[in-house]
Amino acid sequence: MLIFHDPHCIEYSAPGHPERPARITRTVPVLKERHPKWDWQEPRTATDGELLRAHSRGHIELIKAPGGDFDVDTPAYPGIDGYARKSAGAAIETARAALKGWRAFDLNRPPGHHATRKQPMGFCYFSNIAIAALDALENGANRIAIWDFDAHHGNGTEDIVAHNDRIRFASVHQFPAYPGTGAKSFANIDNYPVAPLTTRQDHVQVCKRALEKLVEFSPDLILVSAGFDAYARDPLVQMTLEREDFATLGDWLRKIDIPVGAILEGGYSDDLPELIDAFLSAWVD
């Protein structure tokens, strides 16, 4: 397992905000202690050219010089442009490493799958996974699948990759819930809305069906928006998955003969380190 991690990604925060440094500071030592042979690498910063594949010039300039908070969930932290670019760079490196045969995981913040082409939102500034997918298409991949099992709809990813016939996007998410999108499928977009408090078994089967359809697309690379907020004790939604279910998701990836890279999205419970470890351990073993 190759983990791309920027140790500086913990340097910004806001009191009471659920997307907090502890998500990372508590996870890193758990993974390093339990898996001393895993490789860690600090990512580089994404360039303007790489960001422009997914975002408008105006969006990039706004992140550089915000006039205030982007919305109530998405503060204009000092230096957020640098942190967000590093997170996008980690996603790019994760996809490139996966294409070279690594099982690669991007352990950084901020997350990205809510950021649309022109709008930062939902704790997200740049759409890390969309940027990584579009970069991979420029670097040897012909077809990319994106599997998003975060509890919230990946509306930003959808906005950027919709109608790109070289990408297939599947989002399994609670509905209704933030951001209120993702009720219908169209073109290359497969949305799987899951009602609050759906049973674990039914939810897992939806995730399986979504992944199987992506595999049928015969992609050269599968990128995973790995959000862990569908956990039964996550504070932001009403879903029912347990630690063992995230291990099941990882086990499915282990059995697929397609390169895979995974990128951290949500997950706000104190148990996040255990959930990530369960997922990664099952994937790599």
Side-chain angles (χ1 to χ4, degrees), residues 16-169:
H17 199 291
E19 205 292 286
R20 60 196 191 278
R23 301 177 68 229
I24 305 298
T25 58
R26 296 179 67 248
T27 300
V28 170
V30 167
L31 297 183
K32 287 188 172 181
E33 179 180 348
R34 295 180 185 176
H35 309 282
K37 294 184 179 180
W38 286 3
D39 294 305
W40 293 70
Q41 184 171 322
E42 184 169 347
R44 62 175 176 81
T45 298
T47 66
D48 276 10
E50 290 163 341
L51 299 177
L52 283 167
R53 295 189 182 118
H55 294 287
S56 67
R57 173 65 69 178
H59 179 104
I60 293 170
E61 294 302 322
L62 179 64
I63 304 300
K64 284 182 182 178
D69 289 346
F70 303 105
D71 62 30
V72 66
D73 295 318
T74 316
Y77 297 106
I80 192 59
D81 176 63
Y83 299 119
R85 282 174 179 263
K86 211 62 175 302
S87 198
I92 291 170
E93 296 293 341
T94 296
R96 291 185 179 184
L99 285 171
K100 294 175 182 176
W102 285 92
R103 290 174 180 173
F105 182 61
D106 171 2
L107 180 61
N108 287 284
R109 54 191 291 269
H113 75 152
H114 292 310
T116 69
R117 178 169 171 76
K118 297 181 179 181
Q119 182 181 1
M121 60 182 290
F123 315 163
C124 303
Y125 301 87
F126 295 127
S127 183
N128 302 325
I129 203 160
I131 292 164
L134 294 170
D135 179 81
L137 291 178
E138 296 291 328
N139 288 278
N142 291 315
R143 296 156 73 93
I144 306 287
I146 301 175
W147 186 40
D148 186 335
F149 59 74
D150 187 278
H152 300 92
H153 179 232
N155 63 301
T157 311
E158 176 181 291
D159 177 66
I160 293 165
V161 309
H163 303 289
N164 185 329
D165 60 9
R166 299 174 67 191
I167 298 176
R168 192 92 197 176
F169 173 60

